[in-house]
Amino acid sequence: MGLLDDLKKIKVDFDLPVVSTVSKVATGAIASISQSTTPNKLEVTVNKPATVWERIGCSNKTLEFIKISLDDGVIDAKERAMLIRRAEEDGVDPQEFDFVMTKALEEYVKIAKNVITDMSVFFKTADAMANGAVKPDNKLLTSKMPGVLAESNPYLIASMGVVEAVATTISTFIKAPSKLNTFKAEIIRTINIPLLPEVLIDFFGYVNNQIIEETQRNHGKGIFTNVSESLFGKDIDLVPIWREKMKHVMTKAVMRYGNHPEVMGLLEKWRISPLKKLQKISDSIQIENFPIPQNASDYIALVKYSYEKGESIKTPNREAYAHLNSRLLKEQKRFVNLHPSVERIITENKVRTVNIVMSNCDNPVFMVELKLPEDLTDLLEVLHFLSTRKDLKMHHNRLYDEALRVFGSDAEAITKIRQFKPKNLFGF
């Protein structure tokens, strides 16, 4: 039995004033409203036509993959290839599927770009109803629903059950406008923020302002508000709700754009990045053993910062930053293929061990603890410097002998190391 001409039906029950007309809901689907046996209770049946995906022959399983892949409005090459394979298994022409998917993304982007404006208008309408400036009205509030929450999009990018969930939430709020924050909290949790860079920037800015406003409102409550809340119940605090939403969206954004430094740079303002964590550390051991990031953007930021600190003579814990820089560079193979600039940045931001040695050569403790550089170029630079200082001959001898042991199996390296063989009393 095919899905081509079938109509899906979603039943939503909620209390409303008695209505005897047939109206068109904001989702674009046709809803017939009839009075049930319970007074003031209506049954709304939404006749939902088959989606484009179903009409071209996609199975229910493929529809689930499409929903998961497209719900954030962004799709990468791996996801596209996987979806096309799924469609081909259903017998769908891959070119036709790719065309529909491209159109779906274009449609979603149009809706997504207005999501923050839509949300602001939606909440302002709810505020007006809660304050008594506007009469509570289900239909009016539903008409202000953000586009990404509606299923008017024929490509089914919106979540499947979202209309029913939001309709129930709106209905509950209309009956109890005093629970404004409870209503907003449900919408905040429900709404899916598209992971488009421009939308993310707008979203984090909007949430930041909302947190500031809510915090000020919480601090500014007077005695009458406190008495009222003690008598009639206190509405929930939206600050932790907004923060949790911001954290959730940021986690998804980092997973999506972690290897795109240009995008992550735009989001840096609103997240606690590894770089910000490192900048707050003053303990040399913690600096030296700071965790290696998981994505190219954070890796690049730490390489640059550790280089800057490791090369600066005035930097406290300079040696610790130099060791961190060395640790980061050892992991370069993990990141070189993730972003084209990694290889160039590594070359430009490599702390030279010889500079650290030169600035600490008069510190007996440092020189005694100086470890043999693992990189041959660094080692040769250090041996060359030590060979120019008679007062450092003991350290020169130690590192030279150790280098011969470590690089003993590399004939070419040994030849280069022998150029800096310590001289005896006779100059040989």
Side-chain angles (χ1 to χ4, degrees):
M1 184 174 179
L3 296 173
L4 180 61
D5 301 314
D6 291 345
L7 295 179
K8 292 184 177 180
K9 291 188 177 181
I10 304 175
K11 289 192 175 182
V12 186
D13 293 332
F14 50 89
D15 294 330
L16 286 173
V18 177
V19 180
S20 59
T21 59
V22 177
S23 63
K24 187 175 183 180
V25 297
T27 60
I30 300 298
S32 59
I33 305 178
S34 59
Q35 187 173 358
S36 68
T37 55
T38 305
N40 292 331
K41 187 164 187 177
L42 303 179
E43 182 179 89
V44 180
T45 303
V46 181
N47 297 322
K48 191 172 149 208
T51 66
V52 171
W53 308 107
E54 293 166 319
R55 291 201 296 271
I56 64 175
C58 293
S59 65
N60 288 335
K61 191 170 183 179
T62 300
L63 283 175
E64 286 301 314
F65 279 102
I66 292 171
K67 184 175 66 174
I68 293 170
S69 300
L70 298 184
D71 68 358
D72 61 4
V74 180
I75 185 167
D76 57 29
K78 290 182 180 179
E79 290 172 330
R80 183 180 287 267
M82 181 273 293
L83 290 174
I84 290 176
R85 283 198 305 273
R86 288 283 332 161
E88 284 186 288
E89 291 175 7
D90 292 338
V92 179
D93 183 284
Q95 291 185 338
E96 182 179 5
F97 180 84
D98 191 64
F99 173 79
V100 172
M101 184 164 56
T102 300
K103 290 296 181 183
L105 288 171
E106 290 176 357
E107 182 76 16
Y108 188 73
V109 168
K110 292 177 184 177
I111 298 172
K113 286 183 176 180
N114 296 319
V115 63
I116 305 305
T117 301
D118 289 351
M119 189 189 301
S120 177
V121 172
F122 188 59
F123 283 161
K124 284 180 180 178
T125 304
D127 288 341
M129 292 180 181
N131 296 329
V134 174
K135 183 180 179 181
D137 183 275
N138 192 301
K139 190 174 181 180
L140 172 61
L141 191 54
T142 300
S143 69
K144 304 295 183 181
M145 188 187 301
V148 295
L149 286 175
E151 288 196 47
S152 55
N153 181 353
Y155 298 101
L156 187 63
I157 295 180
S159 300
M160 288 292 292
V162 76
V163 172
E164 180 177 354
V166 174
T168 302
T169 302
I170 291 175
S171 176
T172 302
F173 167 68
I174 295 299
K175 290 186 293 183
S178 61
K179 294 296 182 180
L180 174 66
N181 283 8
T182 301
F183 163 71
K184 285 185 177 181
E186 288 302 313
I187 299 300
I188 292 167
R189 294 188 184 105
T190 302
I191 194 167
N192 185 35
I193 303 300
L195 298 186
L196 303 170
E198 60 270 38
V199 175
L200 289 172
I201 294 170
D202 289 345
F203 169 74
F204 290 122
Y206 175 75
V207 172
N208 186 62
N209 289 334
Q210 291 301 306
I211 290 175
I212 293 173
E213 290 179 10
E214 288 295 326
T215 302
Q216 292 174 343
R217 192 175 294 116
N218 290 341
H219 290 320
K221 289 181 178 178
I223 186 172
F224 294 107
T225 302
N226 293 329
V227 171
S228 175
E229 288 180 345
S230 65
L231 292 174
F232 303 107
K234 182 179 180 180
D235 206 358
I236 65 173
D237 184 4
L238 284 180
V239 172
I241 305 297
W242 278 122
R243 284 179 176 159
E244 187 61 30
K245 186 68 173 184
M246 179 181 275
K247 181 180 178 181
H248 175 70
V249 174
M250 183 62 78
T251 300
K252 293 174 65 177
V254 172
M255 291 176 63
R256 173 66 69 174
Y257 295 111
N259 297 319
H260 296 77
E262 61 283 357
V263 176
M264 293 307 299
L266 299 174
L267 306 182
E268 188 71 16
K269 177 180 177 181
W270 293 284
R271 77 181 185 111
I272 302 175
S273 64
L275 176 59
K276 289 180 181 178
K277 292 179 181 178
L278 177 61
Q279 289 171 336
K280 294 180 179 180
I281 297 176
S282 58
D283 182 78
S284 60
I285 296 177
Q286 291 183 20
I287 293 172
E288 187 173 338
N289 296 291
F290 194 80
I292 305 296
Q294 297 299 312
N295 60 71
S297 299
D298 290 329
Y299 174 79
I300 289 172
L302 288 191
V303 168
K304 289 182 176 180
Y305 185 73
S306 61
Y307 169 77
E308 175 190 337
K309 293 297 182 181
E311 287 286 275
S312 175
I313 298 176
K314 298 180 180 180
T315 300
N317 298 317
R318 181 185 180 191
E319 295 79 17
Y321 282 110
H323 284 301
L324 173 59
N325 184 266
S326 177
R327 284 183 55 238
L328 289 167
L329 298 187
K330 289 178 186 177
E331 301 291 332
Q332 59 184 281
K333 290 182 180 179
R334 287 168 48 189
F335 301 98
V336 166
N337 295 328
L338 297 178
H339 195 273
S341 68
V342 169
E343 199 162 9
R344 173 182 56 79
I345 288 170
I346 288 173
T347 303
E348 296 175 352
N349 294 272
K350 180 180 179 181
V351 174
R352 295 176 63 196
T353 308
V354 68
N355 288 350
I356 304 297
V357 175
M358 290 172 67
S359 63
N360 290 277
C361 61
D362 295 326
N363 182 342
V365 176
F366 173 84
M367 294 306 298
V368 169
E369 296 179 349
L370 177 62
K371 298 178 181 178
L372 184 78
E374 296 181 8
D375 182 78
L376 181 60
T377 301
D378 285 344
L379 170 62
L380 296 177
E381 288 182 340
V382 170
L383 289 175
H384 176 264
F385 168 70
L386 295 176
S387 68
T388 65
R389 293 281 297 266
K390 292 182 180 181
D391 57 325
L392 300 177
K393 185 174 181 179
M394 178 180 67
H395 305 295
H396 184 193
N397 289 335
R398 176 175 65 84
L399 289 181
Y400 178 81
D401 292 340
E402 190 176 345
L404 292 179
R405 291 196 302 271
V406 173
F407 291 90
S409 60
D410 189 337
E412 184 178 352
I414 292 295
T415 300
K416 293 179 179 179
I417 291 171
R418 289 189 184 280
Q419 297 177 46
F420 305 103
K421 179 181 179 180
K423 297 180 180 180
N424 57 28
L425 293 174
F426 303 100
F428 298 104

